[in-house]
Amino acid sequence: TTVPAPAVNPNKDSIVSRGQQHSINFTDHTISTDGICGTKTLANVARCFQHAINLDYKKSLVVDGVFGNNSKTALGKHYVKKGEKQYLVTAVEIALMCRGYDVNGVECPGIFGDGLEFQADRGLTVDGIAGRNTILKLIGC
């Protein structure tokens, strides 16, 4: 009998899988880098934002991947726009990659550039600012 070759995951080097790896590096929480933006990936995206909020705004959020009331309150009206450099930018870049958007790399802390096609795709105001509504959509809230 012939043993079939193992299936090759076409997503292994996808933008999403690279975003997943960045989320692991940023949060130190391991998930599969399978190229699929599922619930575990979105939980790591939430962890990225929780970690960034703690670093940038000196909050003491539990980095648990559940973006509940405490996380939303800590996010408040914070946003990032072109030219700003902070960890919240890093979280936005990672989240965009996990959603399949190529941001041409992730910096830590990140410098905000372009790449918010996500806003148009999700029916948000395309303003070049990653504000509360955009961030919550990226997390999946």
Side-chain angles (χ1 to χ4, degrees):
T1 60
T2 307
V3 177
V8 175
N9 183 347
N11 295 318
K12 190 61 181 169
D13 192 37
S14 72
I15 293 167
V16 174
S17 65
R18 285 182 278 141
Q20 290 168 323
Q21 185 60 56
H22 283 296
S23 79
I24 293 166
N25 297 346
F26 191 58
T27 65
D28 202 30
H29 183 87
T30 302
I31 58 170
S32 175
T33 56
D34 59 7
I36 299 168
C37 185
T39 55
K40 290 182 180 179
T41 297
L42 291 176
N44 244 26
V45 166
R47 282 183 190 91
C48 288
F49 281 102
Q50 290 168 327
H51 184 55
I53 289 166
N54 286 344
L55 291 171
D56 287 334
Y57 309 116
K58 309 301 182 225
K59 301 296 181 179
S60 298
L61 293 173
V62 175
V63 181
D64 60 3
V66 178
F67 211 81
N69 289 335
N70 289 343
S71 297
K72 289 176 185 174
T73 299
L75 173 62
K77 295 182 180 181
H78 292 293
Y79 64 90
V80 289
K81 62 183 180 180
K82 193 167 185 162
E84 291 187 330
K85 180 178 181 179
Q86 57 182 299
Y87 292 101
L88 194 58
V89 173
T90 304
V92 169
E93 290 171 338
I94 292 169
L96 285 167
M97 287 185 76
C98 287
R99 293 287 190 163
Y101 295 86
D102 191 353
V103 297
N104 297 313
V106 173
E107 304 104 5
C108 196
I111 300 171
F112 196 78
D114 297 318
L116 283 179
E117 297 88 4
F118 176 84
Q119 289 177 321
D121 293 348
R122 295 295 191 276
L124 298 165
T125 301
V126 181
D127 57 6
I129 297 171
R132 184 179 179 85
N133 290 338
T134 298
I135 289 169
L136 292 176
K137 286 280 187 184
L138 283 167
I139 296 168
C141 294

